[in-house]
Amino acid sequence: MSFLTLKRKIENETRRFNPAWTDKYLFILPPNASAKPMCLLCNECVAMFKDYNVRRHHFEKRRTFQTNFPEGSQERAAKVQSLIASYNRSCTTMVRSCTAQERATAASLRVSWILVMNDEKIKTSVTSAIKNVPLSDTSNIRRIEILATNMFETLLEELKKADVMSIAVYESTDKTDTAQLCIYVRVFDGKCFREELLGLLPLEGHTTGKIVFGKISAFFKDNGLDMELNVWQHVGPLFGELKTTIDSVMATINFIHSTSSLHHRLFRKLLSNMSAEHRDLLLHNDVRWLSKGKALERCCDLNEEIATFLRSTKLKKAETHLNRILDNNFMADVCFLSDIFKHLNDLNEGLQGRDKTVTDHLEQMRAFQVKLDFFATDLSTGRMHFPTLRKHISSPAQITVVMTDFIERLKENFSSITKAQELHTNGPAKFWSDINVHQFPNVKKLAIIVLSMFGSTYTCESSFSHMNSTKSSSRCSLTDNTLHQCLRIALTSYEPKVTALEKKNYKKNNPKV
């Protein structure tokens, strides 16, 4: 009797991706047709659609993840969703980049096609047309100045007709450490509410409140604007009760990052060897104070790895940082700050965006006030809203007065803010924009005043991202005036009157015509 043995062929088996692997092992199936299960933490793929393969990869290379984010916990679910969102954003960015590159390549092919054609008339016409376009640096600067001036004149016309306006002011530094004062204006132009860049003013020397106010007053006077028509808001960095703790953590981060290139490389190598959840620490920015929340969170996640690295280094300063990291009371404060900054970051993200009114922000601030009451109770009980702190301490007795006082101070601050913004309207900006002014003149006037107020300095802060991309390291010689004009063009919602500008420029250069 003979038996025929058939060899098993893997490609004939019906193995499929199991959606449960995402939560259990942090694996997803990318959208492309030939995709294999991919790890969200390291972007590595496994060859087989087998539970054993993905499980082995996860537990061999991501041991600390299971400890920090227990299976079935709320923290783990939130972390998985964050990783998926990050992956989707990276895919979207790549698709956009590829699309832009394809268009550029298509344009290049069309130009090459025309240039190699035998029809000399077409070639001559195209090349002469290109040569007639002034693209020198001096020509472009003049064009930018003309366009920016036209945009500013259009804005000034609207502001001088307005009954009320609101300005938001924010200060930051550019690539050459020049302090730049950004002024945004919010105004109702008769049809809709506009938020426009009013000015970017360089500040030489000190940047005190008196100097800032003097600059703004002079700017308004020079441009014929009435200071009494606006309400303005200036926001700077926040300093809290636990500033010493924050500064100490940031000093440790800077010690690892900035002591030397070798020092930093060794730390990153250690993280790789220990299969850490992250590949590096995050730096903070004093101007963007909420960035410290992300830096604190990363520091808590890598607490053990930081301690290991500080023990291994031979530098004398490392001992001071190590002693702080090993101090349970100090780390309890750090964990508390990490959690509370996470909540503040979430609130801050909800307040961001253009065309958000004071009333929109007031609703979110009121909701956060209610949360603060829960936080105060939760801090001394289950600490469900303080997951990082809950992992570090074992009993409510370790909750310090500094922590409870900080929550109370936050409650007082938010209470005073919401009382100052206690305004009542019956609808959004569009509703009041469409109301007939002759039927309800007083009510509409009040609504326009309320809705003309800035809810936050988001527009000012976001404009500095454009400023840094414009005045980059390779373009750091831009003058303050040119930077101002470039920024105005990049951020304006007005359309330039190109035809009118062309005629005006032609008459200027040809006065006899």
Side-chain angles (χ1 to χ4, degrees):
M1 179 180 264
S2 62
F3 296 92
L4 179 61
T5 304
L6 296 177
K7 292 185 177 179
R8 179 168 58 97
K9 292 187 177 180
I10 294 174
E11 59 267 21
N12 294 331
E13 296 185 4
T14 57
R15 290 177 180 167
R16 297 179 179 178
F17 180 81
N18 186 348
W21 293 346
T22 301
D23 182 65
K24 291 177 66 177
Y25 310 127
L26 308 180
F27 270 81
I28 62 170
L29 186 65
N32 51 305
S34 60
K36 299 291 184 181
M38 187 190 77
C39 176
L40 284 169
L41 288 174
C42 63
N43 293 336
E44 292 183 11
C45 296
V46 296
M48 301 291 184
F49 285 79
K50 293 176 63 177
D51 186 275
Y52 171 77
N53 290 58
V54 293
R55 184 175 69 252
R56 182 180 63 179
H57 176 94
H58 179 71
F59 285 104
E60 284 186 358
K61 297 189 176 183
R62 307 287 166 238
R63 296 174 184 173
T64 58
F65 189 89
Q66 192 71 15
T67 304
N68 296 333
F69 301 92
E71 191 171 339
S73 65
Q74 184 179 355
E75 294 83 3
R76 185 187 184 95
K79 185 64 176 178
V80 171
Q81 291 303 315
S82 175
L83 291 170
I84 293 174
S86 177
Y87 172 75
N88 290 336
R89 285 195 298 270
S90 66
C91 291
T92 304
T93 302
M94 186 177 294
V95 169
R96 289 176 179 172
S97 177
C98 292
T99 303
Q101 183 60 43
E102 288 171 0
R103 290 173 180 171
T105 302
S108 176
L109 290 172
R110 290 180 181 274
V111 171
S112 299
W113 172 265
I114 292 173
L115 292 178
V116 298
M117 289 178 64
N118 293 326
D119 194 329
E120 292 296 329
K121 290 184 178 180
I122 296 178
K123 291 170 63 175
T124 303
S125 174
V126 172
T127 53
S128 61
I130 294 174
K131 289 179 180 178
N132 287 334
V133 178
L135 296 175
S136 67
D137 54 350
T138 53
S139 295
N140 276 316
I141 290 176
R142 287 197 299 270
R143 301 298 185 271
I144 289 171
E145 183 179 355
I146 292 170
L147 289 170
T149 301
N150 178 249
M151 297 296 97
F152 186 53
E153 289 173 351
T154 303
L155 176 60
L156 286 179
E157 289 176 7
E158 298 290 350
L159 295 180
K160 290 176 181 178
K161 292 186 294 184
D163 294 326
V164 65
M165 70 183 81
S166 172
I167 64 172
V169 182
Y170 205 89
E171 179 263 327
S172 187
T173 55
D174 58 27
K175 291 290 183 181
T176 58
D177 288 335
T178 300
Q180 300 284 357
L181 185 68
C182 180
I183 309 174
Y184 252 84
V185 64
R186 180 177 171 88
V187 65
F188 182 66
D189 65 0
K191 297 180 180 179
C192 63
F193 290 89
R194 287 182 178 273
E195 293 181 4
E196 291 287 329
L197 175 68
L198 184 58
L200 186 71
L201 310 180
L203 300 174
E204 300 85 7
H206 296 287
T207 57
T208 62
K210 183 179 180 180
I211 293 174
V212 169
F213 183 79
K215 278 277 188 180
I216 296 172
S217 300
F219 180 83
F220 268 68
K221 183 178 179 181
D222 292 342
N223 292 286
L225 297 175
D226 188 355
M227 280 285 287
E228 295 182 359
L229 293 179
N230 70 80
V231 180
W232 62 297
Q233 176 183 21
H234 177 221
V235 177
L238 175 70
F239 298 96
E241 292 282 340
L242 297 168
K243 181 179 182 298
T244 303
T245 303
I246 296 177
D247 290 344
S248 298
V249 175
M250 299 311 155
T252 300
I253 294 173
N254 291 335
F255 171 75
I256 294 173
H257 259 276
S258 307
T259 299
S260 68
S261 298
L262 174 61
H263 199 242
H264 189 198
R265 287 198 304 272
L266 292 175
F267 176 71
R268 287 184 294 176
K269 183 179 179 182
L270 174 69
L271 295 182
S272 178
N273 292 339
M274 294 181 69
S275 299
E277 181 183 352
H278 305 290
R279 289 291 175 263
D280 203 353
L281 291 170
L282 294 177
L283 291 173
H284 69 286
N285 187 325
D286 275 327
V287 176
R288 309 290 190 269
W289 67 272
L290 282 176
S291 69
K292 291 185 176 180
K294 297 293 185 182
L296 286 170
E297 182 181 3
R298 182 66 61 86
C299 188
C300 291
D301 291 342
L302 298 175
N303 183 35
E304 294 181 6
E305 290 82 357
I306 293 173
T308 302
F309 178 74
L310 292 175
R311 287 191 189 97
S312 65
T313 185
K314 298 179 180 179
L315 297 176
K316 292 182 179 180
K317 291 183 179 179
E319 185 177 354
T320 302
H321 298 287
L322 178 60
N323 291 336
R324 280 200 293 255
I325 292 294
L326 297 178
D327 186 339
N328 288 331
N329 294 330
F330 174 80
M331 284 309 301
D333 288 341
V334 175
C335 293
F336 167 76
L337 283 172
S338 176
D339 289 329
I340 201 66
F341 268 81
K342 174 65 168 60
H343 295 304
L344 289 170
N345 278 343
D346 292 341
L347 173 64
N348 185 59
E349 290 176 3
L351 296 175
Q352 302 308 314
R354 289 179 179 271
D355 298 323
K356 287 197 174 183
T357 63
V358 174
T359 51
D360 296 328
H361 290 166
L362 185 59
E363 292 179 0
Q364 297 198 46
M365 299 287 272
R366 284 173 173 168
F368 193 76
Q369 272 186 280
V370 177
K371 287 184 179 181
L372 285 174
D373 291 330
F374 283 111
F375 293 164
T377 304
D378 182 54
L379 187 62
S380 57
T381 54
R383 295 177 295 285
M384 294 301 297
H385 296 284
F386 298 88
T388 310
L389 181 62
R390 187 175 71 245
K391 293 176 185 177
H392 183 79
I393 64 177
S394 56
S395 70
Q398 294 175 269
I399 301 298
T400 64
V401 177
V402 174
M403 298 178 190
T404 56
D405 284 351
F406 188 81
I407 296 291
E408 291 302 319
R409 285 284 301 278
L410 275 180
K411 291 170 64 176
E412 292 174 5
N413 289 340
F414 276 88
S415 177
S416 63
I417 291 172
T418 52
K419 285 179 181 178
Q421 293 181 339
E422 194 68 42
L423 304 161
H424 300 279
T425 63
N426 295 325
K430 190 177 187 308
F431 174 82
W432 287 108
S433 301
D434 296 337
I435 288 292
N436 191 321
V437 68
H438 300 294
Q439 291 179 333
F440 308 99
N442 295 328
V443 177
K444 179 162 184 174
K445 184 176 181 180
L446 173 62
I448 295 300
I449 292 173
V450 172
L451 296 173
S452 293
M453 297 179 185
F454 275 98
S456 72
T457 56
Y458 166 78
T459 48
C460 285
E461 295 178 55
S462 62
S463 66
F464 284 117
S465 298
H466 291 277
M467 181 188 74
N468 290 330
S469 62
T470 302
K471 192 172 183 178
S472 59
S473 301
S474 58
R475 303 176 67 191
C476 59
S477 59
L478 279 178
T479 64
D480 292 329
N481 187 47
T482 303
L483 175 63
H484 184 183
Q485 293 165 347
C486 290
L487 202 60
R488 184 178 300 283
I489 293 173
L491 299 173
T492 187
S493 62
Y494 290 109
E495 288 290 334
K497 301 172 184 176
V498 177
T499 305
L501 290 174
E502 181 184 358
K503 292 180 179 179
K504 181 179 179 181
N505 188 54
Y506 180 79
K507 290 181 180 179
K508 180 180 178 181
N509 296 328
N510 302 275
K512 296 182 180 180
V513 177

